[in-house]
Amino acid sequence: QKEVEQNSGPLSVPEGAIASLNCTYSDRGSQSFFWYRQYSGKSPELIMSIYSNGDKEDGRFTAQLNKASQYVSLLIRDSQPSDSATYLCAVNPLGSGNTGKLIFGQGTTLQVKP
Amino acid sequence: DAGVTQSPTHLIKTRGQQVTLRCSPKSGHDTVSWYQQALGQGPQFIFQYYEEEERQRGNFPDRFSGHQFPNYSSELNVNALLLGDSALYLCASSRLADTQYFGPGTRLTVL
């Protein structure tokens, strides 16, 4: 079992729709969770961080965390063609001590069609 | 305020050669982490440097080594290059275990 799992996609949604991206993780003691966006040929860019169960909203983005189910998701409202990218879920596992080491999923490719 | 910078942008080497990649962290950051990202995969943690020492290491062979300087900048060295070392090498900076911000990366091609 991979430590952080994402559906590689592609996930295709029409412009203006809600895109839902999902991620599961295996280390129950994980404390910090991040979503990064990566455009083709570029480096990852931080979108959201979440540390507590529940929802966290920032503009069109909402991160959701359920530690009991070991599940974290990212919702993108009013999706735009410029949101087309690969979305990486990253987890700071318990065994990383105080280093903030990140374990990444393989990423989900999102395509927003005009 | 400059973000994380990396050099060079691209690099082509042949098998068996050695390579050095460089990273300057974001202003105010004291910790540098290095990741390897193969095509179509998520980044994989190589190691992290804080106070000029390696704090944690991922599952990478000893051919991968690093260094951090007093000004917090860092180098990643890879010896005896293999074809499988071809990847995007990412540097991320942070304040200790806080949120990591990535540089633009160095694309390494091994022929």
Side-chain angles (χ1 to χ4, degrees):
Chain A
Q1 181 189 6
K2 291 183 181 178
E3 292 180 84
V4 179
E5 294 206 53
Q6 298 180 255
N7 187 322
S8 61
L11 172 66
S12 183
V13 300
E15 184 175 356
I18 296 176
S20 177
L21 305 162
N22 305 313
C23 171
T24 59
Y25 59 94
S26 61
D27 187 336
R28 186 170 289 277
S30 298
Q31 298 295 316
S32 310
F33 307 86
F34 304 87
W35 283 99
Y36 287 85
R37 177 176 62 197
Q38 187 173 28
Y39 291 112
S40 181
K42 302 295 184 182
S43 65
E45 170 193 12
L46 180 70
I47 299 176
M48 296 277 290
S49 59
I50 187 166
Y51 305 95
S52 305
N53 279 330
D55 294 0
K56 179 181 179 183
E57 185 175 320
D58 184 1
R60 297 187 295 114
F61 300 96
T62 299
Q64 299 175 316
L65 176 61
N66 184 326
K67 289 186 178 180
S69 300
Q70 296 174 239
Y71 176 91
V72 59
S73 65
L74 179 70
L75 300 178
I76 306 175
R77 289 181 299 282
D78 188 24
S79 294
Q80 301 297 310
S82 59
D83 294 326
S84 298
T86 296
Y87 289 80
L88 295 162
C89 172
V91 174
N92 176 223
L94 179 64
S96 67
N98 195 31
T99 64
K101 163 188 172 180
L102 295 177
I103 304 297
F104 284 84
Q106 71 175 78
T108 298
T109 299
L110 173 66
Q111 296 174 346
V112 181
K113 300 199 179 290
Chain B
D1 179 22
V4 183
T5 61
Q6 291 186 245
S7 63
T9 305
H10 296 89
L11 206 50
I12 299 175
K13 292 286 188 178
T14 57
R15 281 177 295 174
Q17 285 190 309
Q18 179 265 343
V19 69
T20 297
L21 310 181
R22 295 176 176 82
C23 171
S24 291
K26 185 178 169 65
S27 177
H29 287 184
D30 54 14
T31 302
V32 172
S33 302
W34 287 93
Y35 293 83
Q36 180 196 66
Q37 187 176 25
L39 202 60
Q41 301 298 315
Q44 279 195 288
F45 178 79
I46 302 175
F47 43 52
Q48 184 184 84
Y49 278 85
Y50 171 71
E51 290 189 340
E52 302 180 50
E53 290 192 359
E54 183 183 291
R55 283 172 53 83
Q56 192 169 16
R57 188 179 184 91
N59 189 25
F60 279 80
D62 292 344
R63 298 188 296 109
F64 290 77
S65 63
H67 189 76
Q68 186 179 35
F69 300 94
N71 66 352
Y72 308 119
S73 67
S74 177
E75 288 182 348
L76 164 65
N77 301 293
V78 187
N79 294 323
L81 285 167
L82 303 174
L83 295 179
D85 294 332
S86 295
L88 179 66
Y89 287 85
L90 296 162
C91 165
S93 78
S94 60
R95 291 189 63 179
L96 197 53
D98 207 348
T99 304
Q100 295 182 24
Y101 295 88
F102 285 87
T106 294
R107 173 73 62 185
L108 173 65
T109 302
V110 182
L111 302 177

